[in-house]
């Protein structure tokens, strides 16, 4: 079907069933416009028609704050904000990719080694994803593809736009050149490989796994190279709630040392016991050794380890609460996780900061606006990022207005849990 005919089909509702699954009825008109615009943008840029469209979602961390890098457990979910690509295979042996608002990228599939000059770049992620599939046995030969990419996953939102991009590229390669032989977890692992080895960011696999698998995922990182994933359900609409991501509008710069201090200090505790991660440390032995640990590792390291032990349990308990349909119990655990993050993990206020405590102010205002209902907690890495609030549907308009009056327009983003991960839509 020619792209002009496809656009007409989309505008007339021919793709509505699929779009409703991905975005819900409330966003149908918006989705039709996005897909039609994407197809047109591909034709305008490359000069010929696209053949398919792929989607990969952003993710939200629901439970388990800074537990994944200690080989612990998390609860995460894909959301209805995504990255889309209009795609056509080529026989040029190249991935040619244009992201809206960004420079045009070309990666030769005959050269899949890491490049020093490409660190922290889109090209590094593309090359890393292709390399990972090549290592699995994908023979590109002269194959490649052209893609035009658009996104409504905001950078710096805590929804992990980089992982969504990795999953998008992986889903395209898996579908076009590998017969979909790679599982969603395989795609996630390749995304982690691309980010660690090619992009140069030492992150875990939570973001990629949640985006690739989709829905609500309970993920156990006991073996970080082979995480165990269990799908769950979270019907927020049925429970009468919505999920809001709250932008604190804090400056994200110069927080690398803050994030690194968490892994470093947790590492002091695990090394005391001759272990590589807190998952391998016996909790009773940890508390028995507190006098020595306070002297050798320091009190903040001890408190952060306390957070790990408790929040790792909470992530498991949250998944169990959802499984048995105990939504109120789930919310209590979310609240407790947020309290633990603020008090013991201490990843809400940057060290020594007195004047600028945006994230704590965001959480404090959200708690007031919720009036004892729902739950709010730090979302993701913390310090200068976002908070997450489960808001009763009947007060969401009032909540959003109250929050944005203090933190600015569009600082409160309502998202829904999406049932599928990386997917070929057309």
């Amino acid at each position: 079907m020619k792209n002009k005919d496809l656009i007409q089909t989309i505008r007339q509702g021919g793709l509505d069933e699929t779009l409703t699954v991905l975005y819900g009825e409330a966003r149908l008109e918006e989705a039709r416009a996005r897909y039609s615009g994407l197809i047109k943008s591909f034709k305008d840029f490359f000069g010929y028609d696209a053949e398919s469209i792929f989607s990969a979602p952003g993710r939200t961390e629901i439970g388990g704050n800074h537990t994944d890098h200690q080989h612990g457990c998390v609860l995460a979910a894909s959301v209805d904000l995504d990255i889309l690509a209009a795609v056509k295979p080529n026989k040029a042996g190249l991935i040619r990719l244009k992201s809206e608002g960004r420079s045009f990228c070309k990666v030769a599939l005959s050269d899949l080694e890491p490049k020093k000059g490409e660190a922290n770049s889109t090209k590094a992620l593309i090359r890393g994803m292709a390399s990972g599939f090549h290592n699995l046995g994908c023979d590109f030969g002269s194959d490649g593809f052209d893609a035009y990419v658009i996104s409504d996953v905001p950078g710096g939102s805590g929804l992990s736009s980089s992982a969504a991009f990795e999953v998008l590229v992986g889903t395209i390669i898996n579908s076009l050149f590998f017969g979909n032989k790679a599982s969603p977890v395989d795609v996630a692992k390749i995304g982690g490989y691309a980010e660690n080895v090619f992009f140069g960011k030492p992150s875990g696999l939570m973001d990629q796994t949640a985006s690739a698998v989709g829905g609500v995922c309970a993920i156990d990182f006991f073996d970080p190279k082979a995480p165990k994933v269990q799908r769950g359900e979270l019907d927020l609409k049925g429970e009468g709630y919505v999920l809001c991501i709250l932008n604190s509008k804090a400056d994200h710069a110069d927080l690398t040392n803050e994030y690194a201090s968490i892994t470093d200090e947790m590492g002091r505790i695990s090394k005391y016991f001759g272990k590589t991660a807190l998952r391998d440390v016996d909790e009773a032995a940890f508390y028995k050794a507190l006098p020595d640990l306070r002297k050798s590792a320091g009190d903040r390291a001890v408190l952060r380890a306390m957070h790990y032990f408790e929040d790792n349990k909470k992530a498991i308990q949250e998944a169990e609460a959802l499984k048995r349909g105990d939504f109120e119990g789930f919310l209590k655990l979310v609240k407790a996780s947020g309290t633990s993050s603020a008090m013991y993990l201490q990843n809400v206020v940057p060290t020594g900061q007195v004047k600028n405590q945006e994230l704590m102010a965001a959480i404090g205002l959200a708690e007031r606006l919720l009036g004892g209902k729902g739950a709010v907690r730090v979302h993701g890495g913390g310090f200068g990022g976002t908070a997450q609030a489960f808001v009763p549907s009947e007060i969401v308009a009032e909540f959003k207005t109250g929050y944005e009056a203090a933190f600015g327009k569009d600082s409160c983003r309502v998202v829904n849990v999406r049932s599928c991960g990386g997917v070929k839509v057309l």
Side-chain angles (χ1 to χ4, degrees):
M1 184 183 293
K2 289 188 175 295
N3 281 185
K4 63 179 182 179
D5 298 325
L6 181 56
I7 289 173
Q8 184 177 1
T9 298
I10 291 171
R11 287 176 175 170
Q12 292 176 348
L15 195 60
D16 280 4
E17 185 176 348
T18 299
L19 296 180
T20 300
V21 171
L22 294 176
Y23 310 105
E25 289 184 13
R27 294 186 62 200
L28 257 182
E29 192 61 39
E30 174 193 342
R32 291 180 194 139
R34 283 184 75 216
Y35 277 67
S36 299
L38 172 64
I39 293 166
K40 183 179 184 300
S41 294
F42 181 97
K43 178 69 174 286
D44 290 345
F45 186 82
F46 288 103
Y48 41 81
D49 289 349
E51 288 188 3
S52 51
I53 294 179
F54 292 81
S55 164
R59 72 96 184 102
T60 182
E61 173 199 286
I62 298 173
N65 195 208
H66 282 279
T67 54
D68 58 329
H69 54 71
Q70 296 302 309
H71 303 178
C73 298
V74 300
L75 187 67
S78 59
V79 297
D80 60 350
L81 303 178
D82 65 352
I83 300 182
L84 292 174
V87 176
K88 182 179 176 63
N90 64 46
K91 285 293 182 180
L94 298 169
I95 293 178
R96 297 184 292 223
L97 186 144
K98 169 63 178 174
S99 288
E100 193 167 70
R102 296 177 179 269
S103 58
F104 179 53
C105 293
K106 289 197 297 185
V107 173
L109 293 172
S110 59
D111 184 6
L112 298 179
E113 295 298 318
K115 309 293 179 187
K116 284 186 178 180
E118 284 183 0
N120 299 302
S121 72
T122 300
K123 287 181 73 173
L125 293 178
I126 296 171
R127 198 182 303 276
M129 293 305 299
S131 174
F133 272 92
H134 177 73
N135 293 341
L136 277 186
C138 180
D139 183 8
F140 292 104
S142 61
D143 288 326
F145 66 84
D146 300 330
Y148 194 96
V149 175
I150 62 173
S151 174
D152 66 359
V153 183
S157 65
L159 298 175
S160 197
S161 56
S162 60
F165 180 80
E166 293 154 18
V167 170
L168 179 75
V169 174
T171 303
I172 295 169
I173 294 173
N174 197 28
S175 175
L176 296 183
F177 311 127
F178 204 50
N180 288 316
K181 289 185 286 187
S183 70
V185 174
D186 289 333
V187 173
K189 288 163 66 176
I190 293 171
Y193 162 76
E195 194 158 302
N196 297 163
V197 178
F198 287 74
F199 190 79
K201 182 180 177 181
S203 61
L205 278 178
M206 177 184 68
D207 296 349
Q208 293 86 352
T209 304
S211 179
V213 174
V216 177
C217 305
I219 312 170
D220 187 339
F221 290 103
F222 179 72
D223 180 355
K225 294 183 179 179
K228 293 181 180 179
V229 182
Q230 286 190 326
R231 289 285 302 270
E233 298 294 334
L234 176 54
D235 181 11
L236 286 174
K237 184 177 180 181
E239 297 290 348
Y241 276 80
V242 299
L243 177 59
C244 295
I245 303 300
L246 309 176
N247 189 344
S248 68
K249 299 294 181 76
D251 185 357
H252 289 221
D254 300 324
L255 290 175
T256 301
N257 290 338
E258 294 285 4
Y259 299 131
S261 72
I262 295 177
T263 53
D264 289 346
E265 291 178 12
M266 287 182 174
R268 292 180 203 168
I269 304 296
S270 57
K271 287 176 184 175
Y272 176 91
F273 295 96
K275 307 294 184 181
T276 58
L278 287 175
R279 181 67 176 271
D280 302 317
V281 174
D282 178 74
E283 186 177 358
F286 161 75
Y287 279 101
K288 187 175 181 179
L290 273 187
D292 285 344
L293 287 170
R294 291 186 62 208
K295 294 176 183 177
S296 62
D299 281 339
R300 191 171 70 170
V302 165
L303 289 167
R304 285 174 162 172
M306 287 180 179
H307 164 82
Y308 165 81
F309 286 119
E310 292 305 315
D311 220 44
N312 193 53
K313 296 172 192 172
K314 289 184 182 72
I316 297 169
Q317 292 164 356
E318 285 173 3
E320 292 172 345
L322 291 179
K323 189 175 182 179
R324 65 176 181 267
D326 181 10
F327 190 71
E328 288 302 316
F330 163 77
L331 289 178
K332 288 179 181 178
L333 289 163
V334 172
K335 289 180 182 179
S337 174
T339 299
S340 179
S341 291
M343 290 181 63
Y344 304 121
L345 182 62
Q346 299 178 41
N347 70 327
V348 177
V349 178
T351 305
Q353 188 57 260
V354 175
K355 182 179 179 181
N356 299 108
Q357 299 188 7
E358 297 93 340
L359 188 52
M360 184 63 85
I363 292 170
L365 176 60
E367 286 189 341
R368 176 175 173 78
L369 293 170
L370 285 170
K373 301 176 182 178
V376 61
R377 51 153 279 192
V378 60
H379 181 237
F383 298 110
T386 56
Q388 174 191 85
F390 291 88
V391 183
S393 300
E394 69 268 16
I395 67 167
V396 67
E398 178 185 347
F399 179 92
K400 182 176 173 66
T401 299
Y403 185 83
E404 292 188 349
F407 285 89
K409 185 180 178 182
D410 297 327
S411 55
C412 175
R413 187 69 184 256
V414 177
V415 300
N416 296 295
V417 175
R418 163 170 152 166
S419 61
C420 61
V423 65
K424 182 178 181 180
V425 182
L426 286 173

